[in-house]
Amino acid sequence: MNILMLGAGAMGSLLGARLSRTSARIVLFSTNQKHIEAIGRNSLTVEELDGSVSRFTIESYHHAHDIPIKADLVIVMVKSYATRKAVSGVLQCCGDSTVFLTLQNGIGNWEQIAERVGEKSVLLGSTAQGATLVDAGVIRHGGNGPTYIGEPRQGVSRRVRNVVDLFNEAGIKTEPSGRMEQLIWEKLHVNVGINAITALTGIRNGFIPETEAAAALCKAAVVEAMDVAGRKGFSIPGDMVDRVLGIARATAINRSSMGQDVDRKKRTEIDAINGAIVRAGDELGIPVPVNRTLTLLIKTLEAHYLKAQ
Ligand code: KPL
């Protein structure tokens, strides 16, 4: 199986490294030229959770026209706001039978891919793995959590089972799910409760459950999201706040993806995370002051550093 990893930031690189242990041919693509060149020169270095260091030799490209495969599977790992453009940019290495799997954060990703390639070609999933880009060619595995993969609508198909088997063969603990939309919303709560708070304060994920003030803010944001999700028809587990705090503990050493974006003065995924709760809250007439404040603060910070560039 030929797999194209579309987007090789921290998470794309981590998944690519793990999948390179399987029989599949894995090709990384990222526009981050420094990262791709470093992988080409020295291989991809992964600082593992136990402190050991692993190295992975993986084919990597930073120009789409250099990608030498026809992809059977494209794993979409770019930032949510870059999805449409990124998918359009690699269609020359795809055919009618190519399947696109999104494991991105936030809401609205699979729909954007489906607009470009059709719903039949799309799978979606969620992952609670954590990873940090330490330097060009170097990532740190920041924590383990479950990964789920499924079809956009109900049902677990043969192709879902095949991809799930491949992920498990790669050592990424993965289960098929027939209710992916529900799980994407559950994962949204994790990002709603961790990402903006860590990005605004400079802390790592593990500091949230350790600190009363941060945990209270996390709880307030998650409870608002639970209200919105409930009104949209999702049955979010009653212990969602504890689950989010549990994932913050399980990825304690990780800097959230939004934290890493802010550290690098890059655009964040705020619109697909807390911003998605604000939009849905406004549509439903549900007050979401905590998520609105977090969204506006991130947008202010982002505007400040993006303007200076
Ligand atoms: O998804 C994540 C992210 O940082 O975007 C978590 C699970 C919170 C890990 O950091």
Side-chain angles (χ1 to χ4, degrees), residues 51-295:
S52 65
V53 170
S54 316
R55 292 209 162 72
F56 298 83
T57 305
I58 313 177
E59 282 178 76
S60 313
Y61 299 90
H62 62 86
H63 284 307
H65 56 251
D66 290 339
I67 299 170
I69 53 166
K70 271 273 172 266
D72 300 304
L73 178 67
V74 177
I75 304 180
V76 183
M77 294 305 294
V78 294
K79 296 292 177 189
S80 54
Y81 54 80
T83 303
R84 269 199 199 89
K85 196 169 161 210
V87 168
S88 300
V90 295
L91 289 179
Q92 80 285 355
C93 19
C94 301
D96 288 345
S97 59
T98 304
V99 172
F100 290 75
L101 164 66
T102 163
L103 289 170
Q104 297 155 284
N105 276 337
I107 296 295
N109 298 308
W110 77 261
E111 293 88 338
Q112 288 187 54
I113 301 170
E115 268 171 33
R116 195 67 193 79
V117 301
E119 196 175 310
K120 282 208 186 79
S121 302
V122 182
L123 297 179
L124 64 159
S126 76
T127 180
Q129 294 278 339
T132 303
L133 187 62
V134 178
D135 201 352
V138 183
I139 60 163
R140 180 182 306 128
H141 188 194
N144 270 313
T147 298
Y148 299 97
I149 295 173
E151 294 282 343
R153 316 274 172 204
Q154 308 298 311
V156 171
S157 59
R158 182 124 137 250
R159 64 183 187 171
V160 165
R161 288 194 197 284
N162 290 341
V163 179
V164 166
D165 287 348
L166 191 75
F167 270 58
N168 282 311
E169 188 190 327
I172 307 159
K173 210 170 151 280
T174 305
E175 285 175 34
S177 171
R179 43 178 211 125
M180 247 354 281
E181 195 68 16
Q182 161 80 27
L183 294 181
I184 297 268
W185 268 82
E186 288 183 20
K187 170 74 196 292
L188 177 67
H189 287 69
V190 173
N191 297 122
V192 158
I194 295 177
N195 291 29
I197 296 170
T198 49
L200 288 164
T201 56
I203 59 178
R204 291 188 186 203
N205 296 357
F207 202 70
I208 294 181
E210 270 176 27
T211 316
E212 213 180 306
L217 189 53
C218 168
K219 180 177 176 189
V222 172
V223 166
E224 282 182 5
M226 289 169 76
D227 268 4
V228 167
R231 279 279 292 283
K232 282 186 80 76
F234 297 105
S235 56
I236 301 300
D239 63 349
M240 199 65 216
V241 171
D242 289 337
R243 291 189 190 203
V244 173
L245 292 172
I247 290 176
R249 270 185 216 102
T251 57
I253 62 160
N254 204 52
R255 186 92 174 99
S256 76
S257 53
M258 197 179 290
Q260 296 180 55
D261 291 338
V262 166
D263 294 346
R264 286 202 187 80
K265 301 194 180 342
K266 280 177 52 184
R267 188 173 162 192
T268 71
E269 297 183 299
I270 192 70
D271 285 328
I273 301 178
N274 305 80
I277 300 299
V278 173
R279 285 194 304 281
D282 287 349
E283 273 164 28
L284 296 164
I286 300 173
V288 285
V290 177
N291 280 283
R292 194 182 307 282
T293 305
L294 290 171
T295 301

Side-chain angles (χ1 to χ4, degrees), residues 3-64:
I3 303 180
L4 175 64
M5 186 64 67
L6 179 55
M11 279 300 299
S13 298
L14 178 73
L15 297 179
R18 300 301 186 229
L19 287 165
S20 73
R21 289 174 175 157
T22 68
S23 54
R25 176 176 177 187
I26 175 105
V27 168
L28 296 188
F29 172 66
S30 163
T31 52
N32 182 342
Q33 187 171 347
K34 271 174 74 185
H35 185 51
I36 293 298
E37 285 177 352
I39 295 172
R41 264 195 318 275
N42 308 322
S43 68
L44 174 68
T45 302
V46 181
E47 298 176 6
E48 303 286 0
L49 282 170
D50 63 4
S52 65
V53 170
S54 316
R55 292 209 162 72
F56 298 83
T57 305
I58 313 177
E59 282 178 76
S60 313
Y61 299 90
H62 62 86
H63 284 307

